[in-house]
Amino acid sequence: MDHNAPAIVGPLYPFEGKRPEVHESAFVAPTAAVIGDVTIGEKSNIWYHCVLRGDTNFIRIGRGVNIQDGTIIHVNAGTQATVIGDDVTVGHAAIIHACTLMNRAFVGMGATVLDEAVIEEGGVLAAGSVLPPRKRIGRYELWMGNPATLVRVLSEEQRAGFDRTAPHYVELAGRHRASLGR
Protein backbone atom coordinates (compact mmCIF):
# COMPACT_ATOMS: atom_id res chain seq x y z
CA MET A 1 0.00 0.00 0.00
CA ASP A 2 1.20 3.48 -0.86
CA HIS A 3 0.41 5.60 2.19
CA ASN A 4 1.92 8.61 0.43
CA ALA A 5 -0.46 8.51 -2.54
CA PRO A 6 -2.27 11.72 -3.46
CA ALA A 7 -5.12 12.73 -1.19
CA ILE A 8 -8.61 11.47 -1.60
CA VAL A 9 -10.62 14.62 -1.41
CA GLY A 10 -14.29 14.50 -0.54
CA PRO A 11 -16.66 17.20 -1.67
CA LEU A 12 -15.06 20.64 -1.58
CA TYR A 13 -17.45 23.55 -2.02
CA PRO A 14 -16.61 27.18 -2.73
CA PHE A 15 -18.44 29.90 -0.84
CA GLU A 16 -18.47 33.49 -2.11
CA GLY A 17 -15.21 33.05 -3.98
CA LYS A 18 -13.33 31.23 -1.20
CA ARG A 19 -12.29 27.65 -1.90
CA PRO A 20 -11.00 25.03 0.53
CA GLU A 21 -7.26 24.31 0.34
CA VAL A 22 -6.25 20.74 1.14
CA HIS A 23 -2.62 19.59 1.34
CA GLU A 24 -1.88 16.83 -1.16
CA SER A 25 -0.99 14.38 1.64
CA ALA A 26 -4.24 14.96 3.57
CA PHE A 27 -7.18 12.56 3.48
CA VAL A 28 -10.72 13.91 3.20
CA ALA A 29 -13.28 11.09 3.16
CA PRO A 30 -15.63 11.05 0.18
CA THR A 31 -18.68 11.79 2.35
CA ALA A 32 -17.18 14.76 4.21
CA ALA A 33 -18.17 18.30 3.20
CA VAL A 34 -15.55 21.06 3.31
CA ILE A 35 -16.99 24.49 2.52
CA GLY A 36 -15.46 27.91 1.94
CA ASP A 37 -12.37 29.33 3.64
CA VAL A 38 -10.90 26.11 5.05
CA THR A 39 -7.25 25.05 5.02
CA ILE A 40 -6.30 21.45 5.85
CA GLY A 41 -2.62 20.73 6.53
CA GLU A 42 -0.17 17.98 5.72
CA LYS A 43 -1.20 14.41 6.65
CA SER A 44 -4.37 15.60 8.37
CA ASN A 45 -7.46 13.47 7.97
CA ILE A 46 -11.12 14.41 7.85
CA TRP A 47 -13.34 11.37 8.24
CA TYR A 48 -16.73 10.28 6.96
CA HIS A 49 -19.71 12.59 7.37
CA CYS A 50 -17.76 15.50 8.85
CA VAL A 51 -18.83 19.04 7.97
CA LEU A 52 -16.27 21.88 8.00
CA ARG A 53 -18.10 25.10 7.18
CA GLY A 54 -15.84 28.11 6.73
CA ASP A 55 -18.53 30.33 5.28
CA THR A 56 -18.56 33.48 7.45
CA ASN A 57 -15.01 33.18 8.81
CA PHE A 58 -12.05 30.81 8.32
CA ILE A 59 -11.05 27.38 9.58
CA ARG A 60 -7.36 26.47 9.76
CA ILE A 61 -6.27 22.90 10.47
CA GLY A 62 -2.59 22.10 11.00
CA ARG A 63 -0.47 19.02 10.31
CA GLY A 64 -1.32 15.47 11.42
CA VAL A 65 -4.77 16.37 12.75
CA ASN A 66 -7.59 13.82 12.84
CA ILE A 67 -11.19 14.96 12.75
CA GLN A 68 -13.22 11.82 13.32
CA ASP A 69 -16.52 10.75 11.80
CA GLY A 70 -19.57 12.97 12.16
CA THR A 71 -17.78 16.00 13.61
CA ILE A 72 -18.99 19.53 12.83
CA ILE A 73 -16.57 22.44 12.71
CA HIS A 74 -17.93 25.97 12.28
CA VAL A 75 -17.12 29.64 12.97
CA ASN A 76 -18.77 32.88 14.12
CA ALA A 77 -19.67 35.43 11.46
CA GLY A 78 -16.76 37.81 11.11
CA THR A 79 -15.76 37.65 14.78
CA GLN A 80 -14.26 34.28 15.59
CA ALA A 81 -12.51 31.78 13.36
CA THR A 82 -11.66 28.19 14.28
CA VAL A 83 -7.98 27.38 14.51
CA ILE A 84 -6.67 23.85 15.10
CA GLY A 85 -2.94 23.28 15.62
CA ASP A 86 -0.81 20.22 14.81
CA ASP A 87 -1.33 16.61 15.98
CA VAL A 88 -4.78 17.36 17.39
CA THR A 89 -7.42 14.64 17.85
CA VAL A 90 -11.14 15.42 17.66
CA GLY A 91 -13.27 12.39 18.50
CA HIS A 92 -16.37 11.12 16.72
CA ALA A 93 -19.43 13.41 16.58
CA ALA A 94 -17.80 16.38 18.31
CA ILE A 95 -18.84 20.01 17.75
CA ILE A 96 -16.00 22.51 17.39
CA HIS A 97 -17.36 26.06 17.17
CA ALA A 98 -15.38 29.29 16.78
CA CYS A 99 -12.57 28.21 19.10
CA THR A 100 -8.86 27.35 19.26
CA LEU A 101 -7.36 23.90 19.74
CA MET A 102 -3.61 24.19 20.19
CA ASN A 103 -1.04 21.52 19.25
CA ARG A 104 -1.75 18.04 20.67
CA ALA A 105 -5.14 19.04 22.09
CA PHE A 106 -7.55 16.11 22.50
CA VAL A 107 -11.34 16.43 22.27
CA GLY A 108 -13.26 13.27 23.20
CA MET A 109 -16.19 11.73 21.36
CA GLY A 110 -19.40 13.75 21.43
CA ALA A 111 -17.74 16.70 23.18
CA THR A 112 -18.51 20.33 22.35
CA VAL A 113 -16.08 23.27 22.37
CA LEU A 114 -17.88 26.62 22.21
CA ASP A 115 -17.11 30.17 21.09
CA GLU A 116 -13.72 31.65 21.97
CA ALA A 117 -12.80 28.66 24.16
CA VAL A 118 -9.19 27.48 24.03
CA ILE A 119 -7.62 24.10 24.66
CA GLU A 120 -3.91 24.67 25.21
CA GLU A 121 -1.17 22.29 24.07
CA GLY A 122 -1.82 18.80 25.39
CA GLY A 123 -5.11 19.75 27.06
CA VAL A 124 -7.90 17.14 27.12
CA LEU A 125 -11.69 17.55 27.02
CA ALA A 126 -13.36 14.27 27.99
CA ALA A 127 -15.99 12.51 25.89
CA GLY A 128 -19.47 14.05 26.10
CA SER A 129 -18.23 17.19 27.84
CA VAL A 130 -19.14 20.79 27.00
CA LEU A 131 -16.48 23.51 27.23
CA PRO A 132 -18.40 26.79 27.65
CA PRO A 133 -17.59 29.98 25.75
CA ARG A 134 -14.30 31.71 26.63
CA LYS A 135 -13.12 28.92 28.97
CA ARG A 136 -9.50 27.79 28.73
CA ILE A 137 -8.14 24.29 29.33
CA GLY A 138 -4.48 24.58 30.37
CA ARG A 139 -1.54 22.47 29.27
CA TYR A 140 -2.08 18.78 30.18
CA GLU A 141 -5.30 19.56 32.03
CA LEU A 142 -8.16 17.06 31.87
CA TRP A 143 -11.63 18.65 31.96
CA MET A 144 -14.98 16.87 31.96
CA GLY A 145 -18.67 17.42 32.51
CA ASN A 146 -21.37 19.84 31.37
CA PRO A 147 -20.23 22.48 31.90
CA ALA A 148 -16.71 21.07 31.83
CA THR A 149 -14.51 21.69 34.86
CA LEU A 150 -10.94 20.78 35.72
CA VAL A 151 -10.55 17.22 37.00
CA ARG A 152 -6.76 17.01 37.25
CA VAL A 153 -3.47 17.76 35.54
CA LEU A 154 -2.14 14.74 33.64
CA SER A 155 1.38 13.43 34.12
CA GLU A 156 3.69 13.08 31.10
CA GLU A 157 3.02 9.34 31.17
CA GLN A 158 -0.77 9.76 31.24
CA ARG A 159 -0.66 12.35 28.44
CA ALA A 160 1.57 10.10 26.30
CA GLY A 161 -1.36 7.71 25.84
CA PHE A 162 -3.35 10.43 24.08
CA ASP A 163 -0.40 11.20 21.79
CA ARG A 164 -0.70 7.80 20.09
CA THR A 165 -4.07 8.64 18.53
CA ALA A 166 -3.07 11.25 15.92
CA PRO A 167 -0.26 9.15 14.35
CA HIS A 168 -2.55 6.10 14.34
CA TYR A 169 -5.12 8.05 12.31
CA VAL A 170 -2.48 9.27 9.84
CA GLU A 171 -1.58 5.62 9.20
CA LEU A 172 -5.25 4.57 9.07
CA ALA A 173 -6.01 7.31 6.54
CA GLY A 174 -3.35 5.81 4.26
CA ARG A 175 -5.04 2.43 4.52
CA HIS A 176 -8.44 3.95 3.67
CA ARG A 177 -6.90 5.79 0.71
CA ALA A 178 -5.40 2.50 -0.55
CA SER A 179 -8.63 0.55 0.02
CA LEU A 180 -10.60 3.13 -1.96
CA GLY A 181 -8.15 2.68 -4.84
CA ARG A 182 -6.75 6.19 -4.94
Side-chain angles (χ1 to χ4, degrees):
M1 288 186 284
D2 181 3
H3 298 289
N4 295 315
I8 290 179
V9 177
L12 303 178
Y13 301 101
F15 181 79
E16 295 181 346
K18 304 249 177 161
R19 295 184 172 280
E21 295 179 17
V22 179
H23 190 276
E24 65 184 19
S25 67
F27 171 77
V28 178
T31 60
V34 181
I35 303 144
D37 193 356
V38 178
T39 302
I40 299 170
E42 179 182 357
K43 295 184 179 179
S44 288
N45 37 90
I46 312 301
W47 290 88
Y48 301 91
H49 303 292
C50 289
V51 175
L52 285 65
R53 188 158 53 95
D55 51 2
T56 60
N57 211 316
F58 63 86
I59 297 170
R60 298 292 177 263
I61 296 174
R63 174 187 39 79
V65 172
N66 71 93
I67 307 297
Q68 296 174 15
D69 311 69
T71 291
I72 297 169
I73 301 177
H74 194 229
V75 296
N76 264 340
T79 61
Q80 184 65 35
T82 295
V83 178
I84 299 175
D86 298 334
D87 302 313
V88 171
T89 292
V90 177
H92 308 288
I95 298 173
I96 306 301
H97 197 270
C99 60
T100 300
L101 308 179
M102 294 182 178
N103 297 346
R104 298 173 53 226
F106 189 99
V107 177
M109 294 182 283
T112 299
V113 183
L114 292 172
D115 305 15
E116 299 181 354
V118 174
I119 300 179
E120 292 183 12
E121 182 168 348
V124 177
L125 180 63
S129 297
V130 177
L131 188 62
R134 293 171 296 288
K135 290 291 184 180
R136 187 176 199 98
I137 294 178
R139 181 179 170 87
Y140 287 26
E141 289 181 353
L142 168 63
W143 287 44
M144 65 175 52
N146 184 3
T149 57
L150 175 64
V151 174
R152 70 178 182 276
V153 176
L154 301 170
S155 68
E156 287 285 338
E157 183 179 316
Q158 291 168 327
R159 184 60 187 83
F162 292 98
D163 285 335
R164 289 190 284 275
T165 304
H168 163 73
Y169 270 86
V170 168
E171 188 273 334
L172 186 57
R175 292 170 51 202
H176 275 258
R177 181 183 298 118
S179 292
L180 291 167
R182 300 195 188 166

